Amino acid sequence: MCSRTRPDGGPVPDVSRTGRPRSAAADSAILEATRAALVELGWSRLTMGYVATRAGVAKTTLYRRWAGKSELVVDAVAVLFDELELPDSGSLAADVEGVVLQFGALLELPETKTALMAVVAESTRDEALRRRIRDSIVHRQKRLVLLGRERAQLRGELPPEPDEATAARTADLIFDVIAGAVVHRSLVSAEPVDRRWARGFTAMLLGGLAAAASPP
């Protein structure tokens, strides 16, 4: 934005934000190095300097992008969850089952499992980290619930909510049920999120949604 003018009346560009642009390749290398380092070292031994060395960048490069280890690890996890996609399978049941299987497979990866459990454990002592997890992972992944519900309503599988507040509460509940069940199954119970389990879970979830949508 130009807020000043030259003597000839032309604008003087604002140079306060100039600098070297971020490199997508460098960001990707840093986040990949972070996940690998977590698997090797664990949370307590992970340092920004180690990540920088592993990624082949200067430590100052990391600090220009992330204020500290917590933010860096959350973003390293968030990009993995951004790869989740809701399949358009023609029915809500098939769509839910598909994304549940993807989610389960993602949590089976050592880098996802280690990084997620590390940041969740650390967030119990850090409110700012909890907010970053909500913003970077939870809120971003609610897109899958919103998209699935929109498709289901267009197909007539789900009724529209009576108002925006109810719609928001329902979306939050669906997300919490799916995320909670899959994370518990995979990371706490250490049981597989296979097709049989995903199908049974989906049937239970959709049965609950149908019951909640039915008039009393």
Side-chain angles (χ1 to χ4, degrees), residues 12-53:
V12 174
D14 184 355
V15 297
S16 62
R17 297 183 183 180
T18 59
R20 295 183 63 184
R22 289 182 65 154
S23 163
D27 282 0
S28 179
I30 291 167
L31 297 177
E32 183 176 349
T34 301
R35 293 189 296 269
L38 265 172
V39 174
E40 292 177 6
L41 304 177
W43 176 273
S44 61
R45 295 172 57 201
L46 179 72
T47 65
M48 298 287 273
Y50 184 89
V51 172
T53 300

Side-chain angles (χ1 to χ4, degrees), residues 171-190:
D172 285 348
L173 181 59
I174 294 171
F175 180 88
D176 289 345
V177 169
I178 294 175
V182 177
V183 168
H184 189 280
R185 173 79 176 176
S186 181
L187 301 187
V188 180
S189 298

Side-chain angles (χ1 to χ4, degrees), residues 22-145:
R22 289 182 65 154
S23 163
D27 282 0
S28 179
I30 291 167
L31 297 177
E32 183 176 349
T34 301
R35 293 189 296 269
L38 265 172
V39 174
E40 292 177 6
L41 304 177
W43 176 273
S44 61
R45 295 172 57 201
L46 179 72
T47 65
M48 298 287 273
Y50 184 89
V51 172
T53 300
R54 189 181 181 99
V57 301
K59 189 159 67 171
T60 53
T61 301
L62 265 70
Y63 281 108
R64 281 198 297 268
R65 292 159 163 78
W66 296 277
K69 179 169 74 172
S70 297
E71 294 184 1
L72 174 60
V73 173
V74 170
D75 284 2
V77 177
V79 296
L80 295 177
F81 284 100
D82 285 341
E83 296 177 3
L84 292 173
E85 295 182 356
L86 184 71
D88 192 358
S89 308
S91 73
L92 180 58
D95 290 353
V96 172
E97 185 177 329
V99 80
V100 164
L101 288 171
Q102 284 183 59
F103 190 17
L106 181 60
L107 293 179
E108 282 297 309
L109 298 176
E111 58 267 33
T112 310
K113 184 183 305 185
T114 304
L116 182 61
M117 294 185 77
V119 294
V120 169
E122 190 66 20
S123 72
T124 62
R125 300 183 292 272
D126 188 338
E127 175 58 32
L129 179 57
R130 277 201 297 272
R131 288 195 299 269
R132 190 171 184 89
I133 291 172
R134 286 196 297 267
D135 292 341
S136 299
I137 299 177
V138 175
H139 291 167
R140 288 211 313 239
Q141 296 316 312
K142 282 183 182 175
R143 64 187 170 83
L144 300 171
V145 172

